[in-house]
Amino acid sequence: MPGFIERDELLDPTKKHLENGSLILKATIQMYIDRPKFWSPKNRLGNDMLQLLESGERSDMTFLVNGQKYHVHSPILAIRAPVLADLVENNTKAKEVEVDDVDKAVFQALLRYVYAEEMPPHKEMKIIAQDLLKAADRFGCTSLKLLIEAELVRSGIKASNAANILLDADARNCALLKEKGFFFFFFFVVFFFFFFFFLCFFFFFF
């Protein structure tokens, strides 16, 4: 039988299974312990922070963006977006601080990241990525700026926006994005040059 040995074969001295009349067996033993699953509460910090932002409870300043009001908390801004916090400190006498040159959707996405590190959905990110990058750089949200830069490097550079992204990257000191944009732009220029050269060669000789 497979995996077994008969007694006669085991005792046969010609088979040399025994050593000085002794049989040595090696075995591997595995033990399985059925441990009970312990319940642990879900981390709700992000949800709680978003609820705080949306409710405006105990806020100490209001931003006005294109007619939309956002009630914020300056201690959170001081840690997560220091330039926004400076706007609050510089307008202590005003109840509202008006923010120009930023879209409402972009500013809301910025605040949601500041409070809960929530990134926009992928489809929305593709639309507002460059504007959100500008806002993150403008208001001192460095971690968001780096995340958007990585996202643009991964999937956002195309022939239609390479030049704009390269200019934005240079203006906002985005080294990784600038390198990627320059490489893409350089490749496109070289490709266009050889394509134009091939057409000229074709029409000239044929």
Side-chain angles (χ1 to χ4, degrees), residues 189-199:
V189 170
V190 171
F191 174 80
F192 181 79
F193 173 79
F194 278 103
F195 180 74
F196 181 75
F197 177 79
F198 175 78
L199 287 179

Side-chain angles (χ1 to χ4, degrees), residues 123-194:
K123 290 184 178 180
E124 183 181 354
M125 174 62 84
K126 292 177 66 176
I127 298 173
I128 68 172
Q130 284 187 258
D131 291 331
L132 189 56
L133 177 66
K134 296 176 184 178
D137 179 66
R138 174 184 173 185
F139 298 121
C141 190
T142 305
S143 57
L144 177 59
K145 175 184 172 182
L146 293 174
L147 286 173
I148 299 172
E149 182 181 357
E151 176 65 21
L152 287 173
V153 167
R154 186 180 65 85
S155 61
I157 301 180
K158 301 177 182 178
S160 58
N161 63 5
N164 289 334
I165 289 180
L166 184 59
L167 292 174
D168 284 342
D170 184 62
R172 288 164 181 79
N173 196 27
C174 300
L176 184 62
L177 186 58
K178 183 164 59 175
E179 179 182 351
K180 184 72 173 182
F182 179 79
F183 174 79
F184 189 93
F185 187 72
F186 177 78
F187 177 81
F188 179 77
V189 170
V190 171
F191 174 80
F192 181 79
F193 173 79
F194 278 103

